[in-house]
Amino acid sequence: MAGKTDAVTIVLMGQEAKILIEEAPTDWVLYNRIVRIYNEGRVRACGHGCYRPSLDLAERILLKNDSSSCALLLMVLSDGRPSDSTFDKECLKATNIRIKGQVERLSSQLGRRLTVSTIGMGNLPDFDTLRSMAGGASDYGSQGNFMLPSMTCSGLGQA
């Protein structure tokens, strides 16, 4: 459960990562801001979801917090495979290895302070990258978990 001192930054995936909301307190103002963004249609699926630029940006944001008592959460929501290989001209397997390596490096730096939660959205049977990201976090001292909720309100709420 979020508290008064918790803050949220939302990073959008794409060929270039973009910050949608930065260090906003977890309160009703944030909730209403997200609802307004949704209702205005300001965020739309834009095709390619590249993981690595977003992970680079998330890493810079997370590493800014040097308080050893502050818990950090990296949550990745995706409808499937990363599109990085489309632009990097490398195979999907190599892309997955690089992405997992990014999460492992971040996990080794932040240790128990970091939780990496990956959530697969939709029907795509291949969420190997999200699973390996969560596993990589666990392998390097952070908590990692992968979830594939049902596409119902209660399923999404449990995730």
Side-chain angles (χ1 to χ4, degrees):
M1 183 62 83
K4 292 180 182 181
T5 59
D6 294 327
V8 172
T9 297
I10 298 175
V11 176
L12 300 176
M13 286 189 209
Q15 275 184 273
E16 295 180 18
K18 295 177 187 157
I19 294 177
L20 179 65
I21 294 174
E22 187 168 14
E23 296 181 12
T26 54
D27 57 16
W28 286 107
V29 174
L30 172 63
Y31 172 80
N32 288 322
R33 193 170 161 194
I34 292 169
V35 169
R36 186 173 45 256
I37 289 167
Y38 173 77
N39 287 337
E40 293 172 356
R42 291 180 20 208
V43 176
R44 297 190 185 279
C46 55
H48 295 291
C50 297
Y51 287 30
R52 289 182 29 222
S54 301
L55 286 173
D56 288 341
L57 180 54
E59 182 175 355
R60 288 194 299 273
I61 292 166
L62 291 168
L63 291 176
K64 283 194 309 187
N65 186 317
D66 58 1
S67 171
S68 63
S69 63
C70 182
L72 303 168
L73 170 65
L74 172 62
M75 183 180 293
V76 179
L77 287 80
S78 178
D79 62 357
R81 296 180 187 104
S83 299
D84 301 73
S85 59
T86 303
F87 302 101
D88 295 343
K89 306 297 183 216
E90 64 184 12
C91 70
L92 182 60
K93 183 176 180 179
T95 296
N96 288 347
I97 290 169
R98 293 177 109 194
I99 290 168
K100 182 180 179 190
Q102 280 185 271
V103 172
E104 290 171 343
R105 183 178 64 248
L106 184 60
S107 296
S108 70
Q109 289 177 285
L110 296 173
R112 294 183 350 199
R113 292 178 53 206
L114 178 65
T115 298
V116 177
S117 292
T118 60
I119 301 174
M121 308 293 288
N123 300 341
L124 189 65
D126 184 42
F127 289 106
D128 290 343
T129 305
L130 293 177
R131 282 186 179 92
S132 71
M133 290 168 69
S138 296
D139 292 344
Y140 280 78
S142 296
Q143 179 164 343
N145 54 62
F146 167 74
M147 293 169 268
L148 184 58
S150 64
M151 296 305 288
T152 63
C153 290
S154 64
L156 296 174
Q158 288 175 351

